[in-house]
Amino acid sequence: MKGVGERIEVVQGDLTHEAVDAIVNAANRSLLGGGGVDGAIHRGGGRAILDACRKLNGCETGDAKITTAGALPSRYVIHTVGPVYQDGQHGEPELLARCYRRSLEVAVTHGLKTIAFPAISCGVYGYPLTEGARIAVDAVATFLGREESIHRVRFVLFDSVAFEAFRQAAGEWGAGPQDGSDPR
Ligand code: ADP
């Protein structure tokens, strides 16, 4: 089995284009759609995602639930709800880490091996990027260290500033060169 750093990739791009087992959605507690990456996922995946979400009864902050990916190239969407950032003193770091961990737990339960994440909470929810990136990479790397069934985790960042923050955080774990090759 490859080391933790070798199973983490950081790329700049559009999460909805990822042909992985599951992409993770930075959703809100209603799971009924929103702006940002959530809006892009529902637009790209179509009605099937919303129909599946309607049956889930929402999702608590820090938890994760899985649906079809509809028309998207990934097989599934794992919806997680990040914390709204206030000042970092209201449990935000723990809740953000839990989003990544719970998403990966759901993936393991479904036998999924390749997962792609956005920068959860780092958009409208206001999480400071450097801190959000460090929490994300640390949570994922720690999980991968004790769970061998996940082969690859890709962080897919929309803009160059987010990409740079995640690249730096992943570098601390020895994540290798990002060649953008197909994870499957
Ligand atoms: P949150 O409400 O959890 O902050 P947002 O969707 O507002 O979620 O933002 C989370 C991150 O996702 C931001 O860094 C934003 O730039 C990014 N993002 C928006 N659209 C996409 C996309 N299609 N692919 C990848 N990342 C995206």
Side-chain angles (χ1 to χ4, degrees):
M1 174 49 70
K2 288 179 171 180
V4 166
E6 293 171 282
R7 290 147 69 202
I8 296 177
E9 291 184 357
V10 182
V11 297
Q12 190 176 343
D14 186 332
L15 184 70
T16 65
H17 296 166
E18 290 286 310
V20 286
D21 288 337
I23 59 171
V24 176
N25 183 15
N28 57 52
R29 287 170 55 183
S30 78
L31 295 187
L32 298 180
V37 72
D38 194 6
I41 286 171
H42 279 274
R43 270 196 307 280
R47 189 80 198 179
I49 298 180
L50 186 59
D51 287 345
C53 282
R54 282 220 172 90
K55 300 182 181 131
L56 295 177
N57 255 321
C59 183
E60 290 302 317
T61 302
D63 201 0
K65 296 186 177 182
I66 190 167
T67 69
T68 174
L72 291 173
S74 63
R75 291 170 58 203
Y76 296 94
V77 174
I78 296 172
H79 306 265
T80 190
V81 183
V84 176
Y85 188 83
Q86 299 176 61
D87 55 5
Q89 306 295 311
H90 289 79
E92 298 98 322
E94 294 76 13
L95 285 167
L96 185 59
R98 192 183 303 165
C99 285
Y100 288 95
R101 201 165 57 237
R102 283 291 304 136
S103 296
L104 291 172
E105 283 171 2
V106 169
V108 169
T109 303
H110 286 77
L112 310 185
K113 300 187 182 321
T114 56
I115 316 297
F117 283 98
I120 299 164
S121 283
C122 293
V124 170
Y125 281 5
Y127 218 102
L129 201 46
T130 304
E131 189 60 11
R134 190 186 60 73
I135 290 168
V137 173
D138 287 359
V140 166
T142 301
F143 189 94
L144 292 182
R146 61 180 163 80
E147 177 57 62
E148 294 198 339
S149 71
I150 303 271
H151 290 182
R152 184 142 332 190
V153 171
R154 283 162 71 80
F155 291 102
V156 181
L157 295 318
F158 214 35
D159 60 69
S160 59
V161 178
F163 169 72
E164 193 52 40
F166 275 74
R167 197 187 60 75
Q168 283 224 358
E172 302 285 320
W173 287 89
Q178 315 305 323
D179 60 10
S181 61
D182 191 315
R184 282 204 280 221

